[in-house]
Amino acid sequence: MMPGFVSGSISSMASLPSTASTRLSLSAVDLGAKLSTLAPTLSLALVIRGGAAAGDAVMKNYYGDALGYFGGLRVPATFLAGSSLAAIFTLKHKASNLASNKEESDLSRIEKRVLKFYHLMSVSAFALSLNTIATCTIAYTAVIHGRFDPFAETAYLFMKREFLYEFTMVRWSFLSSVFCFLGMLASRLLIEFELLKPTGDVKSSRPDVAMLVVFSIGALVTSLLSYVNQNLWCWESLIGMSITVGKMVLKRAFIERRPLQIVSVLCMIVSTYYLGKLIICDVKDGIEGKL
């Protein structure tokens, strides 16, 4: 009985190494399969962290990023459009004094100029934000229509390559509408609280409050403009971006010969003419008043 038990135990112990080696080989196979599936992810992580060789470019699909950009920008643009639209039709009583004679109007010369600036900024903010909403909506439709290469190194390069006009136009329109909105806000504060009213009281704090409003909004505008100019990437300033937008519009009008774009450019030229005419008349009235 004992010899059989010993021989069985010895044979079972002898079979242990082969079982262990089989399990180790299976574990090695599983590990190799998992590493092969993780290879693309590991290579991407190395590129992101700078571990890949110089010059290696990882192409990614930025289809979802384009949808998110054009869809997300409509939300703040809608807020600006609604606020500026409501602001256009306020201060109607004060606006009626703009056409009155100097003797009949209860507004000073500087109040009239600030009120004109207020309406100009409110209309501009509304038009630019509405342009942002419409262009984003049309570009969103163009993205879901497809028929373009969604792969690029970065989302910025993809947007510039496939949607140059839409990408540039919505950025410029939205940023410009923000600054127009801030100009409208500052002028509204000065008018609504009558901070520009002439006062004979030397101890009045009204001029100090007016300067506080002007320089506070001015600090915000210049800070935002500095940050915008720093992060435009392809332009040194918002002015350079505005020139590029103008060139793109003129190209669509007179090189690509789009009829409605030509009409739009002509309407813009005429409106600029009348705006300049109003400014010149206001300056002349100011000079004659001083004389």
Side-chain angles (χ1 to χ4, degrees), residues 195-255:
L195 300 178
L196 300 176
K197 284 286 185 184
T199 175
D201 188 3
V202 180
K203 297 182 180 180
S204 177
S205 61
R206 188 178 297 172
D208 296 334
V209 177
M211 299 300 292
L212 174 62
V213 170
V214 170
F215 284 100
S216 298
I217 301 296
L220 177 60
V221 169
T222 52
S223 177
L224 288 176
L225 188 58
S226 174
Y227 185 73
V228 167
N229 293 338
Q230 182 184 358
N231 292 278
L232 287 177
W233 305 115
C234 292
W235 299 274
E236 294 183 357
S237 65
L238 191 60
I239 297 176
M241 190 179 187
S242 303
I243 295 174
T244 301
V245 170
K247 291 180 179 179
M248 294 173 66
V249 171
L250 293 176
K251 178 182 177 182
R252 287 171 55 86
F254 300 107
I255 296 180

Coordinates of all heavy atoms in Angstrom, one line a residue, residues 195-255:
L195 N -24.5 110.7 -16.1 CA -23.1 111.0 -15.6 C -22.4 112.1 -16.4 O -21.4 112.7 -16.0 CB -22.2 109.8 -15.5 CG -22.7 108.6 -14.7 CD1 -21.8 107.4 -14.8 CD2 -22.9 109.1 -13.2
L196 N -23.0 112.4 -17.5 CA -22.4 113.5 -18.4 C -23.2 114.8 -18.3 O -22.8 115.7 -19.1 CB -22.4 113.0 -19.9 CG -21.6 111.7 -20.1 CD1 -21.8 111.3 -21.6 CD2 -20.2 111.9 -19.8
K197 N -24.1 114.9 -17.4 CA -24.9 116.1 -17.3 C -24.0 117.2 -16.7 O -23.3 117.0 -15.7 CB -26.1 115.9 -16.3 CG -27.3 115.2 -17.0 CD -28.0 116.1 -17.9 CE -29.3 115.4 -18.4 NZ -30.0 116.2 -19.4
P198 N -24.0 118.4 -17.3 CA -23.2 119.5 -16.7 C -23.8 119.9 -15.3 O -25.0 119.9 -15.1 CB -23.3 120.6 -17.7 CG -24.6 120.3 -18.4 CD -24.7 118.8 -18.5
T199 N -22.9 120.1 -14.4 CA -23.3 120.4 -13.0 C -22.5 121.6 -12.5 O -21.3 121.7 -12.8 CB -23.2 119.3 -12.0 OG1 -23.5 119.7 -10.7 CG2 -21.8 118.7 -12.1
G200 N -23.2 122.5 -11.8 CA -22.5 123.7 -11.3 C -21.9 123.5 -9.9 O -21.2 124.3 -9.4
D201 N -22.3 122.3 -9.4 CA -21.8 122.0 -8.0 C -20.3 121.5 -8.1 O -20.1 120.4 -8.7 CB -22.7 121.0 -7.4 CG -22.3 120.8 -5.9 OD1 -21.4 121.5 -5.4 OD2 -23.0 119.9 -5.3
V202 N -19.4 122.2 -7.5 CA -18.0 121.7 -7.5 C -17.8 120.4 -6.8 O -17.0 119.6 -7.1 CB -17.1 122.9 -7.0 CG1 -15.7 122.4 -7.0 CG2 -17.3 124.2 -7.7
K203 N -18.6 120.2 -5.7 CA -18.4 119.0 -4.9 C -19.2 117.8 -5.4 O -19.2 116.8 -4.8 CB -18.9 119.3 -3.5 CG -18.1 120.4 -2.8 CD -18.6 120.6 -1.4 CE -17.9 121.7 -0.6 NZ -18.4 121.9 0.8
S204 N -19.8 117.9 -6.6 CA -20.6 116.8 -7.2 C -19.6 115.7 -7.6 O -18.5 115.9 -8.1 CB -21.3 117.3 -8.4 OG -22.0 116.2 -9.0
S205 N -20.0 114.5 -7.3 CA -19.2 113.3 -7.6 C -19.5 112.7 -9.0 O -19.0 111.7 -9.3 CB -19.4 112.2 -6.5 OG -20.8 111.8 -6.5
R206 N -20.4 113.3 -9.7 CA -20.8 112.8 -11.0 C -19.7 112.7 -12.0 O -19.5 111.6 -12.6 CB -22.0 113.7 -11.6 CG -22.6 113.1 -12.8 CD -23.7 114.0 -13.3 NE -24.8 114.1 -12.3 CZ -25.8 114.9 -12.4 NH1 -25.9 115.8 -13.4 NH2 -26.7 115.0 -11.4
P207 N -18.8 113.7 -12.1 CA -17.7 113.5 -13.0 C -16.7 112.4 -12.6 O -16.2 111.7 -13.5 CB -17.0 114.9 -13.0 CG -18.0 115.8 -12.5 CD -18.9 115.0 -11.6
D208 N -16.6 112.2 -11.3 CA -15.7 111.1 -10.8 C -16.3 109.8 -11.2 O -15.5 108.8 -11.6 CB -15.5 111.3 -9.3 CG -14.7 112.5 -9.0 OD1 -14.0 113.0 -9.8 OD2 -14.9 113.0 -7.8
V209 N -17.6 109.6 -11.0 CA -18.2 108.3 -11.3 C -18.1 108.1 -12.8 O -17.9 106.9 -13.3 CB -19.7 108.4 -10.9 CG1 -20.4 107.0 -11.3 CG2 -19.8 108.5 -9.4
A210 N -18.3 109.1 -13.6 CA -18.2 109.0 -15.1 C -16.8 108.5 -15.5 O -16.6 107.6 -16.3 CB -18.5 110.3 -15.8
M211 N -15.7 109.1 -14.9 CA -14.4 108.6 -15.1 C -14.1 107.2 -14.7 O -13.4 106.4 -15.3 CB -13.4 109.6 -14.5 CG -13.5 111.0 -15.0 SD -13.2 111.1 -16.8 CE -11.5 110.7 -16.9
L212 N -14.8 106.8 -13.5 CA -14.6 105.5 -13.0 C -15.2 104.5 -14.0 O -14.6 103.4 -14.3 CB -15.4 105.4 -11.7 CG -15.4 104.0 -11.0 CD1 -14.0 103.4 -10.8 CD2 -16.3 104.0 -9.8
V213 N -16.4 104.8 -14.6 CA -17.0 103.9 -15.5 C -16.1 103.8 -16.8 O -15.9 102.7 -17.3 CB -18.4 104.4 -15.9 CG1 -19.0 103.7 -17.1 CG2 -19.3 104.3 -14.7
V214 N -15.7 104.9 -17.3 CA -14.9 104.9 -18.5 C -13.6 104.1 -18.4 O -13.3 103.2 -19.2 CB -14.6 106.3 -19.0 CG1 -13.6 106.3 -20.1 CG2 -15.8 107.0 -19.4
F215 N -12.9 104.3 -17.3 CA -11.6 103.6 -17.1 C -11.8 102.2 -16.7 O -10.9 101.3 -17.0 CB -10.7 104.4 -16.2 CG -10.1 105.6 -16.8 CD1 -10.7 106.9 -16.5 CD2 -9.0 105.5 -17.6 CE1 -10.1 108.0 -17.1 CE2 -8.5 106.7 -18.1 CZ -9.0 107.9 -17.9
S216 N -12.9 101.8 -16.0 CA -13.1 100.4 -15.6 C -13.4 99.6 -16.9 O -12.8 98.5 -17.1 CB -14.2 100.3 -14.6 OG -13.9 101.0 -13.4
I217 N -14.3 100.1 -17.7 CA -14.6 99.4 -19.0 C -13.4 99.4 -19.9 O -13.1 98.4 -20.6 CB -15.8 100.0 -19.7 CG1 -17.1 99.9 -18.7 CG2 -16.1 99.2 -21.0 CD1 -17.5 98.5 -18.4
G218 N -12.7 100.5 -19.9 CA -11.5 100.6 -20.7 C -10.4 99.5 -20.3 O -9.7 99.0 -21.1
A219 N -10.3 99.3 -19.0 CA -9.3 98.3 -18.5 C -9.7 96.9 -19.0 O -8.9 96.1 -19.4 CB -9.3 98.4 -17.0
L220 N -11.0 96.6 -18.9 CA -11.5 95.3 -19.3 C -11.3 95.1 -20.8 O -10.9 94.1 -21.3 CB -13.0 95.2 -19.0 CG -13.7 93.9 -19.4 CD1 -13.0 92.6 -18.8 CD2 -15.2 93.9 -19.1
V221 N -11.6 96.2 -21.6 CA -11.5 96.1 -23.1 C -10.0 95.9 -23.5 O -9.7 95.0 -24.3 CB -12.1 97.3 -23.7 CG1 -11.7 97.4 -25.2 CG2 -13.6 97.4 -23.6
T222 N -9.1 96.6 -22.9 CA -7.7 96.5 -23.3 C -7.1 95.2 -22.8 O -6.3 94.6 -23.5 CB -6.9 97.7 -22.7 OG1 -7.2 97.8 -21.3 CG2 -7.3 99.0 -23.4
S223 N -7.6 94.7 -21.7 CA -7.1 93.4 -21.2 C -7.6 92.3 -22.1 O -6.8 91.4 -22.5 CB -7.6 93.1 -19.8 OG -7.2 91.9 -19.3
L224 N -8.8 92.3 -22.5 CA -9.4 91.3 -23.4 C -8.7 91.4 -24.8 O -8.4 90.4 -25.4 CB -10.9 91.4 -23.5 CG -11.7 91.0 -22.3 CD1 -13.2 91.3 -22.6 CD2 -11.5 89.5 -22.0
L225 N -8.5 92.6 -25.3 CA -7.9 92.8 -26.6 C -6.5 92.3 -26.6 O -6.0 91.7 -27.6 CB -8.0 94.3 -27.0 CG -7.6 94.6 -28.4 CD1 -8.4 93.9 -29.4 CD2 -7.7 96.1 -28.6
S226 N -5.8 92.5 -25.5 CA -4.4 92.1 -25.4 C -4.3 90.5 -25.5 O -3.5 89.9 -26.2 CB -3.7 92.6 -24.1 OG -2.4 92.0 -23.9
Y227 N -5.2 89.9 -24.7 CA -5.3 88.4 -24.7 C -5.7 87.9 -26.0 O -5.2 86.8 -26.5 CB -6.2 87.9 -23.6 CG -6.2 86.5 -23.4 CD1 -5.1 85.8 -22.8 CD2 -7.3 85.7 -23.8 CE1 -5.1 84.4 -22.7 CE2 -7.3 84.3 -23.7 CZ -6.2 83.7 -23.1 OH -6.2 82.3 -23.0
V228 N -6.7 88.5 -26.7 CA -7.1 88.1 -28.0 C -6.0 88.2 -29.0 O -5.7 87.3 -29.8 CB -8.3 88.9 -28.5 CG1 -8.6 88.7 -30.0 CG2 -9.6 88.5 -27.7
N229 N -5.3 89.3 -29.0 CA -4.2 89.5 -30.0 C -3.0 88.5 -29.7 O -2.4 88.1 -30.7 CB -3.6 90.9 -29.8 CG -4.5 92.0 -30.3 OD1 -5.4 91.7 -31.1 ND2 -4.4 93.2 -29.9
Q230 N -2.9 88.0 -28.5 CA -1.9 87.1 -28.1 C -2.2 85.7 -28.6 O -1.3 84.9 -28.9 CB -1.6 87.1 -26.6 CG -0.5 86.1 -26.2 CD -0.4 86.1 -24.6 OE1 -1.2 86.8 -23.9 NE2 0.5 85.3 -24.1
N231 N -3.5 85.4 -28.8 CA -3.9 84.0 -29.1 C -4.6 83.9 -30.4 O -5.4 83.0 -30.6 CB -4.8 83.5 -28.0 CG -4.0 83.3 -26.7 OD1 -3.3 82.3 -26.5 ND2 -4.1 84.2 -25.8
L232 N -4.4 84.8 -31.3 CA -5.0 84.7 -32.7 C -4.2 83.7 -33.5 O -4.7 83.2 -34.6 CB -5.1 86.0 -33.4 CG -6.1 87.0 -32.8 CD1 -6.1 88.3 -33.5 CD2 -7.5 86.4 -33.0
W233 N -2.9 83.5 -33.2 CA -2.0 82.5 -33.8 C -1.6 82.9 -35.2 O -0.4 83.0 -35.6 CB -2.6 81.1 -33.8 CG -3.0 80.6 -32.5 CD1 -4.3 80.4 -32.0 CD2 -2.2 80.4 -31.3 NE1 -4.3 80.0 -30.7 CE2 -3.0 79.9 -30.3 CE3 -0.8 80.4 -31.1 CZ2 -2.4 79.6 -29.0 CZ3 -0.3 80.1 -29.9 CH2 -1.1 79.7 -28.9
C234 N -2.5 83.1 -36.1 CA -2.2 83.4 -37.5 C -2.2 84.9 -37.8 O -1.9 85.3 -38.9 CB -3.2 82.7 -38.4 SG -3.0 80.9 -38.4
W235 N -2.5 85.7 -36.8 CA -2.5 87.2 -37.0 C -1.9 87.8 -35.8 O -2.0 87.3 -34.7 CB -4.0 87.7 -37.2 CG -4.7 87.2 -38.4 CD1 -4.6 87.6 -39.7 CD2 -5.5 86.0 -38.4 NE1 -5.4 86.9 -40.5 CE2 -6.0 85.9 -39.8 CE3 -6.0 85.1 -37.5 CZ2 -6.8 84.9 -40.1 CZ3 -6.8 84.1 -37.8 CH2 -7.2 84.0 -39.2
E236 N -1.3 89.0 -36.0 CA -0.6 89.7 -34.9 C -1.6 90.4 -34.1 O -1.4 90.7 -32.9 CB 0.4 90.6 -35.5 CG 1.6 89.9 -36.1 CD 2.7 90.9 -36.6 OE1 2.4 92.1 -36.4 OE2 3.7 90.5 -37.1
S237 N -2.8 90.8 -34.6 CA -3.8 91.6 -33.9 C -5.1 91.4 -34.5 O -5.2 90.8 -35.6 CB -3.4 93.1 -33.9 OG -3.5 93.6 -35.2
L238 N -6.2 91.9 -33.9 CA -7.5 91.8 -34.4 C -7.7 92.6 -35.6 O -8.5 92.4 -36.5 CB -8.5 92.2 -33.3 CG -10.0 91.9 -33.6 CD1 -10.2 90.5 -33.8 CD2 -10.9 92.5 -32.5
I239 N -6.9 93.7 -35.7 CA -6.9 94.5 -36.9 C -6.4 93.7 -38.2 O -7.0 93.8 -39.2 CB -6.0 95.8 -36.7 CG1 -6.6 96.6 -35.6 CG2 -6.0 96.6 -38.0 CD1 -5.8 97.9 -35.3
G240 N -5.4 93.0 -38.0 CA -4.9 92.1 -39.1 C -5.9 91.1 -39.5 O -6.1 90.8 -40.7
M241 N -6.6 90.5 -38.5 CA -7.7 89.6 -38.8 C -8.8 90.2 -39.5 O -9.4 89.6 -40.4 CB -8.2 89.0 -37.5 CG -9.1 87.8 -37.6 SD -9.6 87.1 -36.0 CE -10.5 85.7 -36.5
S242 N -9.1 91.5 -39.2 CA -10.2 92.2 -39.8 C -9.8 92.4 -41.3 O -10.7 92.3 -42.2 CB -10.4 93.5 -39.2 OG -10.8 93.4 -37.8
I243 N -8.6 92.7 -41.6 CA -8.1 92.9 -43.0 C -8.3 91.6 -43.7 O -8.7 91.6 -44.9 CB -6.7 93.4 -43.0 CG1 -6.6 94.8 -42.3 CG2 -6.1 93.5 -44.4 CD1 -5.2 95.4 -42.2
T244 N -7.9 90.5 -43.1 CA -8.0 89.2 -43.8 C -9.5 88.9 -44.1 O -9.8 88.4 -45.2 CB -7.5 88.1 -42.9 OG1 -6.1 88.4 -42.6 CG2 -7.6 86.8 -43.6
V245 N -10.4 89.2 -43.1 CA -11.8 89.0 -43.4 C -12.3 89.9 -44.6 O -13.1 89.4 -45.4 CB -12.6 89.3 -42.1 CG1 -14.1 89.3 -42.4 CG2 -12.3 88.3 -41.0
G246 N -11.9 91.1 -44.6 CA -12.2 92.0 -45.7 C -11.8 91.4 -47.1 O -12.5 91.4 -48.1
K247 N -10.5 90.9 -47.1 CA -10.0 90.3 -48.3 C -10.8 89.1 -48.7 O -11.1 88.9 -49.9 CB -8.5 90.0 -48.1 CG -7.6 91.2 -48.0 CD -6.2 90.7 -47.8 CE -5.2 91.9 -47.7 NZ -3.8 91.5 -47.5
M248 N -11.2 88.3 -47.8 CA -12.0 87.1 -48.1 C -13.3 87.4 -48.6 O -13.8 86.8 -49.6 CB -12.1 86.2 -46.8 CG -10.8 85.6 -46.3 SD -11.0 84.8 -44.7 CE -12.1 83.5 -45.1
V249 N -14.0 88.5 -48.1 CA -15.3 88.9 -48.6 C -15.1 89.5 -50.0 O -16.0 89.2 -50.9 CB -15.9 90.0 -47.6 CG1 -17.1 90.6 -48.2 CG2 -16.2 89.3 -46.3
L250 N -14.1 90.3 -50.2 CA -13.9 90.8 -51.6 C -13.6 89.7 -52.6 O -14.0 89.8 -53.8 CB -12.7 91.9 -51.5 CG -13.0 93.2 -50.7 CD1 -11.8 94.0 -50.7 CD2 -14.2 93.9 -51.3
K251 N -12.8 88.7 -52.2 CA -12.6 87.6 -53.0 C -13.8 86.9 -53.5 O -14.0 86.5 -54.6 CB -11.6 86.6 -52.4 CG -11.3 85.4 -53.2 CD -10.4 84.5 -52.4 CE -10.1 83.2 -53.2 NZ -9.2 82.2 -52.5
R252 N -14.7 86.6 -52.5 CA -16.0 86.0 -52.8 C -16.8 86.9 -53.7 O -17.6 86.3 -54.6 CB -16.8 85.7 -51.5 CG -16.2 84.6 -50.7 CD -16.9 84.5 -49.3 NE -18.4 84.4 -49.5 CZ -19.0 83.3 -49.7 NH1 -18.4 82.1 -49.7 NH2 -20.3 83.3 -49.8
A253 N -16.7 88.2 -53.6 CA -17.6 89.1 -54.4 C -17.0 89.3 -55.8 O -17.8 89.1 -56.8 CB -17.7 90.4 -53.7
F254 N -15.8 89.6 -55.9 CA -15.2 90.0 -57.2 C -14.4 89.0 -57.9 O -14.1 89.2 -59.1 CB -14.5 91.3 -57.1 CG -15.3 92.4 -56.5 CD1 -15.2 92.9 -55.2 CD2 -16.3 93.0 -57.3 CE1 -16.0 93.9 -54.7 CE2 -17.1 94.0 -56.7 CZ -17.0 94.5 -55.5
I255 N -13.9 88.0 -57.3 CA -13.1 86.9 -57.9 C -13.9 85.7 -58.2 O -14.0 85.2 -59.3 CB -11.8 86.6 -57.1 CG1 -10.9 87.8 -57.0 CG2 -11.1 85.4 -57.7 CD1 -9.7 87.6 -56.2

